[in-house]
Every structure is written in C-alpha cells, then in structure tokens.
Amino acid sequence: MNTFLLFVCIAMTAVALWRLPAVRYGDPLRRTLWGCSAGFAVALWSRFPPVRHGIDSLGITDLSGLVKDLSAMAAALALLSYAVTSYGVSQDAPPRHIEICRRVARISRRATVVVIPLMLILFGIVIDRSVPSRDFTADHAGQWGACLFATCYYLYLGSSGATCAYQWGHVSRRAESAVLRISLALGAAACWLFAAYSVIRVTFMWGAMVIPASPGRTHLVVSLSDLLNMLGALLFMCGASLPTTGVAVERWKIRRTLWRLHPLSRDLAHQFPGLWFQPPASRLREAVRHAPAVDVRLDRTIQAIGDAVEQLRHHVVPELWPVVAQSTADHPDHEAAAEAYWIAAALRSAGEGRRSQRPAPALPSKPYSDSIGEGRWLVRVQDVYARVTPASVDEMLDRAGRPPMAAREHEVPEGPVPVRTS
C-alpha cells in the first residue's frame, strides 16, 4: 500500500508542478485546477509514512493529520471553484446542475469562516492527543470531539466530490470530443470515490460511539477507505491531465516537425535572408527556444519556405520541372522527391547567381487543411532533400538548361561603353 501511495504522491506532484505556471496567468480556471492538484498533493504526502513522521516530529502531536485535512479541504474548495468556473458565471438562468454546484460552492466558501476555527479549537483543546495516532480515524473513533472534527472535514470533501461528480457525469455524455468525454468521466468517477470515502469514514467514526469497533472491522474500514481515496486521486489526476497530455503531444509533434525542417529552412534562409522574420539559429538552439510559441514558429517557417520557393522560380528555366518529374518518376515518394530535387536545383542555380528571363511555373498545389498538414508534406520533401547529391543536381540542370548569369548591380563593364543609337 505504501508503494502505491508513493506512486500516487509523485504523480499528483508532477501534475501540480506541470500546472504551476498557471499561478501567474490571469485565467482563474487554470489557477483553480492547479490549486486542486497542489492541495491533493500536499494531503497525500502528509499520509506517506516518512513525511508524516517528519511533520509529527516538529513537536505537535498528530500535526500531519491536521495538515492533511486542511490541505484536502483547500483542494475541495478549489475543486468546487473549478467546476463552477468551467461553465462560466455570467448565465442568468443556468441549468440545474450548474446552479446546484454554484450554491454548494457559495455555502462552502462562506462556511470556512466558522469551520476552520472550529476545527483548530477541536484539534488543540478537545481531542485527546496524548498518544500519537497511526490513523486518526481508527484511533479516535467513538470520541465526540474527533467525530465532530472529522465531520467538518469529510463534509467538505464529500459534498464537493458528490456535487462535481453529479455535474461532470451529467455533461460527460454530451462532451464535444472523445478526449473531453473520457476526461469528464474519469473526473466524475474520482469524485464519487471521494464522496464514498468520506461517507465510510464519518459513518465509521460516529458508529463507534454506539458500537465499539473491533480490530478486524477497523482494519477493513481503514484499508478500504484508503484504497478508495488513492484510487480517486489517481483517477482525478488522469482525468485532469488527459486534455493537457493531448496538447503536450501536439506540441511535441510540432517541435519534431520544426527539428526535421531545420536543414531545408536553413538553406533557404541563407539564400533569401530577408524572408525570415527571425533567421534560423543552430538546430539545438531552435529546439530549446520557447518564444515565440511553437505553433507560431511553425506557421512562420512554413510561410517563409513558401515565399522562398516562390522566389526560386526566377532562378531556373521553365523546363526544369518536367526534367525533374521524369527523373523522379520511379521514386517511392515521387511527388515529394520531384519538389525536393527542384528546390535543390533552384538553390544551386540561385547560389551561382543565375536568373531566368522567364520565371518557371509554380509548383503543383496541395490541398493543405492546416499548417500541421503542410508541415508533414514539407517533412517528406526534406527527407528526400537531405539525400540529394550535387552530381544529380548538376545533371538535371544540364538537361533542362541553366539560366544566364544575372548582371550584378553597380558592375562597371570592361572596355568602352557602347553608345545606344536610335
């Protein structure tokens, strides 16, 4: 059980750290989700034996239990706020499930003014803490002060869990995407487990005042409720992380596309530096760059590559494309290969200072739906471009013909200057 608890603690802490930048954002939805993850992480770590012993060694008996309960209450309030914020606060006539969530969140926030001081008074004065407890519920079951203390805590956790479970379960069936549907379903299941955990614990403590609990029943209740709590934390973590994981995967794909497009982008930028908003740096530096955002950088890179290819039309003869298409007809990816060889040949011609009097036709258009699709196409072109040899480029240029050398600006001609006559 301790191994499973450690795994859940580490996973929840990773989620909280992942969402830590949300603290500086102005979006309350992100802040509340981070607060919920951070509160649950602190509560879970307070239960882990080495951490629990370390907190209790500060000189206050059962301080770890107080830290666990208060941090979990903060997480429960953040959970309610997140559920309310998720569906907006400006609707005049919201659906019933949203109105119930708002009402519970409003009552819970106002009640903290009374509940938190009451819990501190009960913990410091009423509850018998002469002997350190291994499990607060098991060791203090049947004591009215501890039962009242636990009721305050479990009422917050159980009510927030049941409210959010009802709301998320209600809307999960009508979610727009499969990812969001699964995420809401996992969140609803986690909240139902939190509610069940609260009901089992508080019922056991109050029931022990009437019928003293046997060691066997105590062990069963404690083990079952702990398992429900950790499973709930695990499901909540998975549900909250699923949409973020999808975004992270998409960003990784974009970064990988930029990494693979770097050689082609670098060669085109070297020939036409004025087309690039920001000249490409080394491949490693581009990989670790965080500004601007990766999707913006991909859009700019694709736009600059397209503009550079358009400029290359003026540096080759129109006959180059038929020659390239014929030469790459047997290539497994002949369309991408033709474009790659055409770009390589046009770059060689532009680098030699040649310029055609008649620009070549534009390359065949492709039905791109977005920048991701266009990036995938350019990656296919780059894969062939990386294997193009100078000898094959010279052969194609010789077969198609080379444009004449462009006249250099401000060049002083040798010999006498010819006189134009009418």
Side-chain angles (χ1 to χ4, degrees), residues 70-303:
L70 293 181
S71 58
M73 286 179 63
L77 288 173
L79 184 64
L80 279 173
S81 299
Y82 175 76
V84 171
T85 311
S86 298
Y87 299 95
V89 295
S90 60
Q91 301 180 23
D92 296 331
R96 182 177 179 181
H97 61 95
I98 297 180
E99 181 59 32
I100 291 175
C101 187
R102 289 183 183 178
R103 191 174 305 167
V104 174
R106 192 182 309 116
I107 295 173
S108 299
R109 286 194 296 266
R110 293 175 180 176
T112 54
V113 180
V114 177
V115 173
I116 298 298
L118 176 61
M119 291 179 64
L120 293 176
I121 293 173
L122 292 172
F123 182 83
I125 300 175
V126 180
I127 299 175
D128 181 12
R129 295 182 293 109
S130 57
V131 178
S133 59
R134 297 185 58 184
D135 186 278
F136 188 86
T137 299
D139 296 340
H140 296 278
Q143 302 175 12
W144 71 269
C147 290
L148 184 57
F149 176 89
T151 301
C152 295
Y153 161 59
Y154 290 122
L155 185 61
Y156 268 84
L157 185 62
S159 61
S160 63
T163 303
C164 294
Y166 169 74
Q167 175 169 323
W168 290 341
H170 187 271
V171 300
S172 63
R173 297 185 297 270
R174 300 189 301 272
E176 299 176 355
S177 62
V179 173
L180 185 58
R181 192 179 306 117
I182 296 173
S183 176
L184 289 171
L186 289 175
C191 290
W192 281 126
L193 290 178
F194 288 145
Y197 163 80
S198 303
V199 171
I200 291 174
R201 285 263 179 167
V202 76
T203 303
F204 171 76
M205 294 193 71
W206 283 105
M209 295 184 66
V210 180
I211 303 175
S214 62
R217 187 175 62 165
T218 301
H219 177 73
L220 176 62
V221 170
V222 170
S223 300
L224 176 61
S225 58
D226 285 347
L227 181 61
L228 291 178
N229 188 26
M230 287 185 286
L231 285 176
L234 186 62
L235 291 178
F236 174 80
M237 176 198 65
C238 294
S241 303
L242 195 58
T244 306
T245 303
V247 173
V249 171
E250 290 299 322
R251 290 182 179 178
W252 167 254
K253 290 180 179 179
I254 293 176
R255 285 188 178 275
R256 189 167 180 266
T257 300
L258 287 170
W259 172 272
R260 297 180 65 180
L261 286 179
H262 184 268
L264 177 61
S265 176
R266 177 199 57 207
D267 292 349
L268 291 172
H270 178 75
Q271 183 62 41
F272 305 105
L275 299 178
W276 261 252
F277 181 82
Q278 188 175 16
S282 65
R283 210 173 194 181
L284 181 59
R285 185 175 178 182
E286 289 290 336
V288 299
R289 178 177 291 174
H290 296 286
V294 288
D295 53 344
V296 176
R297 286 161 51 198
L298 180 62
D299 290 339
R300 290 179 178 177
T301 300
I302 290 174
Q303 181 66 36

